Structures are given as structure tokens and as C-alpha cells.
Amino acid sequence: MLILYMIWVIIFDYSTVDMRLQDFLSIMIIDPLFVVYCLLAVAIIYSFFRKDPLELFSVQNEKDRSEQLSAFVAEKGLTPRETEVLELVCAGASNPGIAEELCISEYTVKRHLNNIFQKSEVSSRYELISRVLKG
């Protein structure tokens, strides 16, 4: 959105002035506002895309996280093993990581996840974490 705004500002600012293309390019390069917009766009894009959505849950207060998990587990009627898998999913663990942590096979992890998905009526990890966070 910011990039589109930058392009609009450039076109609006310089399209009304009658000048040759060479002058247009030289003004664009040295325009400080354009440089600031570019740097801001790069900073926003970098900060947006370097974050993993799974990390958002792990940043929360541990007390809030455990309360939300407990409420979700009680509401959906998850088994103790499914609860352990859900905790690790919310912490950002992958299937192999969950299997290693719980000393079970990856197939068993996938089966537990499918059961959790069915009970909570979701189709992905991100959706599941979102539902747990909503409370």
C-alpha cells in the first residue's frame, strides 16, 4: 500500500509540471521525500516479512497463554495428548519437533493434529492458533 502511495505521489507531483523525461528522472533521484518514502517502504516490508505468525503467540504472557489454552481445551474436549500437541503447536514447533519432544512418530503427531482440527473446526495451524488466541 505504501509503495502504491509513493508511486501516486511521484506521478501527482511531477505530472503537472511540464518538463522533459530527463529532467523528470534527475528530479526523482534527488528528491529527498522520494528517498524517505523508499527507505520507509523497505523498512516496513522487512519488518513485516521477517516475522513468523507462529511467533506472535509465543511472545504473549505465559499466564495469558495457559489460560487461553485451558479454556480452549475445555471447550473443545481435547485429550491430554492432544493438549500437549496443541501447546507445542502454539509454541511454534514443527511436526518433527513435536514428535521428538513427545517421543512419538510424526504420523501420530499428524493424527493428533487432524483430531484437533476436526474438534475445533479449522483447517490449518494458523487458523487453530487464531482460534486459541480469540478465546
Side-chain angles (χ1 to χ4, degrees), residues 54 85 88-90 92-96 98 109-110 113 117 122-131:
L54 293 175
V85 171
L88 292 171
V89 165
C90 289
S94 63
N95 285 358
I98 295 170
V109 171
K110 289 178 185 178
L113 280 174
F117 289 168
V122 298
S123 59
S124 71
R125 288 174 182 252
Y126 298 110
E127 213 178 333
L128 178 64
I129 292 171
S130 174
R131 288 268 171 94

Side-chain angles (χ1 to χ4, degrees), residues 41-89:
V42 168
I44 288 172
I45 290 170
Y46 174 75
S47 67
F48 179 75
F49 286 108
R50 73 180 171 96
K51 294 187 188 296
D52 183 9
L54 293 175
E55 291 177 5
L56 297 176
F57 193 85
S58 62
V59 177
Q60 280 190 329
N61 185 352
E62 188 65 34
K63 183 179 176 187
D64 292 342
R65 183 171 136 184
S66 63
E67 288 174 3
Q68 288 173 328
L69 277 170
S70 299
F72 185 82
V73 167
E75 178 186 338
K76 301 300 179 186
L78 300 180
T79 65
R81 186 57 102 176
E82 290 170 347
T83 303
E84 292 174 344
V85 171
L86 178 61
E87 288 173 354
L88 292 171
V89 165

Side-chain angles (χ1 to χ4, degrees), residues 33-45:
L33 188 59
F34 179 73
V35 173
V36 169
Y37 281 146
C38 288
L39 293 175
L40 186 59
V42 168
I44 288 172
I45 290 170

Side-chain angles (χ1 to χ4, degrees), residues 100-113:
E100 185 178 323
E101 179 78 24
L102 299 178
C103 299
I104 57 177
S105 72
E106 270 189 71
Y107 176 78
T108 307
V109 171
K110 289 178 185 178
R111 189 69 197 137
H112 286 307
L113 280 174

Side-chain angles (χ1 to χ4, degrees), residues 7-24:
I7 293 170
W8 179 81
V9 166
I10 291 169
I11 291 171
F12 181 79
D13 283 350
Y14 297 112
S15 65
T16 57
V17 179
D18 185 25
M19 63 179 76
R20 293 178 297 148
L21 181 62
Q22 185 179 10
D23 293 337
F24 175 77

